[in-house]
Amino acid sequence: MQVNVRHGQAMVRGLVILVVVFVVPLIGQGQSVFREGQGMWLMFFNRTEITEKWSLHTEIQDRSYDISHKEEQLLLRGGLNYHLKPRLWLTAGYGYIESYPPEGISSPTVIEHRIWQQVLHFHTLGRLFIEHRGRLEQRFVGDRYRDRLRYRLLVNVPINKERMGPKTVFASVYDEVFFHFEDSPYDRNRLYIALGYQFTRGVNVQTGWLAQNFSGKTKGYLQLGVFANVLHSKK
């Protein structure tokens, strides 16, 4: 009985975290999100283990202004992960980003070269899988240079099983806030809600919706993400 009580307390704490971090911001953003139209992001992520301590991160994101797939941005990002501890990873990498002007606006494509460093920590709370991600970016955007700091809190909730694992249906939610090192430090906020299926330990697919608040406006994006990892360890 004591174990069940502790498990129940962990679930309650997890639900409180979900409400405070994810639901409350959604209420504030939902008033204007549908006024800006709906975009789409198609995403592919891969992590390939090299050794027990090292792995490679690669991703491709194709972002569109609307559902008809008017190109907004192409993002290619790679990095090298060092597993400092089983649940604490450090990453350094590079990103290449092409941003395209909206339809009807005569403006050149903006090229960004981005260097980034990251700390990733994950743990469980009851049946919840929780991930904390802090990222520092050095951005060379056209002829401008900017630093940016990001923090993301992600929670995965298994639906048909007690724990995340193969053949698991799960819900995924996160909130990520971005800051500049400038007079007006706030850059943007992203709120993400999705449903996913874990095929194997290394492969899952997610489809969901992201609300991005930027420049005083909030726009929604339909998302499809494929996570295909090459894992050699048995953990």
Side-chain angles (χ1 to χ4, degrees):
M1 179 65 67
Q2 186 175 6
V3 174
N4 292 335
V5 170
R6 290 179 178 176
H7 180 73
Q9 290 174 337
M11 288 294 295
V12 170
R13 288 196 298 269
L15 290 174
V16 170
I17 292 173
L18 290 176
V19 171
V20 172
V21 176
F22 301 112
V23 178
V24 172
L26 180 60
I27 294 174
Q29 296 181 12
Q31 297 177 355
S32 62
V33 66
F34 293 104
R35 301 174 191 169
E36 306 301 325
Q38 305 299 297
M40 177 179 288
W41 289 7
L42 302 177
M43 305 173 293
F44 174 81
F45 300 89
N46 168 264
R47 184 174 69 87
T48 299
E49 289 185 346
I50 303 172
T51 68
E52 184 177 352
K53 286 289 188 178
W54 296 93
S55 62
L56 291 174
H57 169 89
T58 54
E59 66 181 275
I60 303 171
Q61 297 193 33
D62 185 14
R63 300 173 177 178
S64 305
Y65 283 105
D66 52 38
I67 305 303
S68 65
H69 211 62
K70 167 62 175 121
E71 292 288 343
E72 180 177 6
Q73 190 176 77
L74 172 67
L75 184 149
L76 308 175
R77 184 158 40 209
L80 180 64
N81 302 312
Y82 175 66
H83 310 163
L84 186 63
K85 296 181 179 180
R87 297 187 176 187
L88 180 62
W89 300 352
L90 307 177
T91 307
Y94 165 78
Y96 174 84
I97 300 95
E98 291 186 0
S99 297
Y100 312 109
E103 189 172 3
I105 295 180
S106 179
S107 180
T109 297
V110 177
I111 304 297
E112 176 181 348
H113 300 278
R114 184 183 302 175
I115 301 170
W116 56 283
Q117 304 82 39
Q118 176 177 286
V119 178
L120 188 69
H121 171 62
F122 45 92
H123 61 92
T124 57
L125 181 62
R127 62 188 293 168
L128 308 179
F129 173 87
I130 300 175
E131 179 185 281
H132 305 267
R133 189 180 78 182
R135 181 178 291 177
L136 182 64
E137 298 174 330
Q138 299 82 51
R139 306 175 62 207
F140 301 85
V141 187
D143 57 357
R144 300 182 60 193
Y145 173 79
R146 307 184 79 181
D147 291 301
R148 189 166 66 181
L149 179 66
R150 306 165 54 167
Y151 170 73
R152 188 185 77 177
L153 174 61
L154 176 146
V155 180
N156 286 341
V157 186
I159 296 175
N160 63 328
K161 294 190 177 184
E162 287 296 317
R163 296 287 185 271
M164 291 294 298
K167 300 180 180 180
T168 302
V169 179
F170 64 95
S172 182
V173 290
Y174 74 67
D175 190 78
E176 183 171 21
V177 61
F178 297 64
F179 296 101
H180 289 301
F181 296 93
E182 299 174 359
D183 293 338
S184 300
Y186 174 77
D187 178 63
R188 69 190 67 199
N189 188 83
R190 292 175 181 170
L191 175 65
Y192 172 76
I193 303 173
L195 188 66
Y197 183 76
Q198 188 81 33
F199 290 92
T200 66
R201 189 168 66 94
V203 178
N204 75 74
V205 173
Q206 300 179 26
T207 182
W209 183 77
L210 179 139
Q212 177 169 248
N213 177 262
F214 176 66
S215 296
K217 299 179 180 180
T218 301
K219 181 175 180 178
Y221 292 87
L222 297 176
Q223 296 207 339
L224 175 63
V226 177
F227 299 74
N229 300 320
V230 180
L231 308 177
H232 304 297
S233 66
K234 301 299 182 180
K235 296 180 180 179

